[in-house]
Amino acid sequence: ACGRRYSGRTPVSFMESSRQNLIAVPACRLDALVEAGCQVVSIRGKSIGIFHRDGNVSALANRCPHKGAPLCLGRVRPRVSGEGPATVVHDNEGSIIKCPWHQWEFEIESGRSTFDPKLRVVTYQTTVVDGVVQVLLPAQPSDQSKTMPRCSAGNDASRSC
């Protein structure tokens, strides 16, 4: 599971991300993520949920836009649809996050609300390099280095980078 893997989003190399004024910041080890689960990490003062499902890694803000609840502490569930009574279909297992406070639901990959497509949660592009999940964040003035940062937590998955 080493090497370069990308989420379902459009791949962004470090060079492309620098042109967009983004920098890859280590978040956690890929092997620390539970399939179809979420790990909340703190990166540069932002609380971000990292999701791993079907080989894809997604990241979104751990804040519900409704009342500011810690969104990523909610339940991950499949999208449920149907054409009429008693015709329920479960699509995309683990693709929806449900707010723990008021049950608002959002698509994990897009951040889009399931009931109002204009309402969204902030999402972040991710990459996985050498087993480390990296989140692309806007570069800050203190980001002088042109090299991609590495995680200093080593193999200790309980520590954030």
Side-chain angles (χ1 to χ4, degrees), residues 73-146:
L73 297 181
R75 189 170 65 103
V76 175
R77 66 162 195 81
R79 174 180 291 285
V80 179
S81 60
E83 295 182 18
T87 59
V88 175
V89 178
H90 291 249
D91 298 327
N92 299 324
E93 189 69 36
S95 64
I96 303 292
I97 184 80
K98 188 178 227 179
C99 177
W101 287 3
H102 300 108
Q103 313 311 306
W104 286 33
E105 297 178 330
F106 301 89
E107 295 175 352
I108 292 171
E109 286 202 17
S110 69
R112 190 174 314 130
S113 165
T114 60
F115 64 91
D116 181 357
K118 292 179 275 181
L119 184 63
R120 293 177 180 258
V121 174
V122 173
T123 60
Y124 301 94
Q125 292 177 308
T126 61
T127 63
V128 178
V129 178
D130 297 329
V132 176
V133 175
Q134 298 180 335
V135 177
L136 298 178
L137 294 175
Q140 297 177 343
S142 61
D143 297 327
Q144 300 295 323
S145 173
K146 296 292 183 192

Side-chain angles (χ1 to χ4, degrees), residues 57-76:
V57 176
S58 303
L60 73 151
N62 185 28
R63 186 179 189 283
C64 180
H66 174 224
K67 295 283 184 179
L71 180 62
C72 299
L73 297 181
R75 189 170 65 103
V76 175

Side-chain angles (χ1 to χ4, degrees), residues 43-65:
I43 304 172
R44 294 187 171 181
K46 299 176 187 297
S47 182
I48 299 173
I50 311 291
F51 296 84
H52 183 228
R53 183 179 64 84
D54 297 331
N56 292 324
V57 176
S58 303
L60 73 151
N62 185 28
R63 186 179 189 283
C64 180

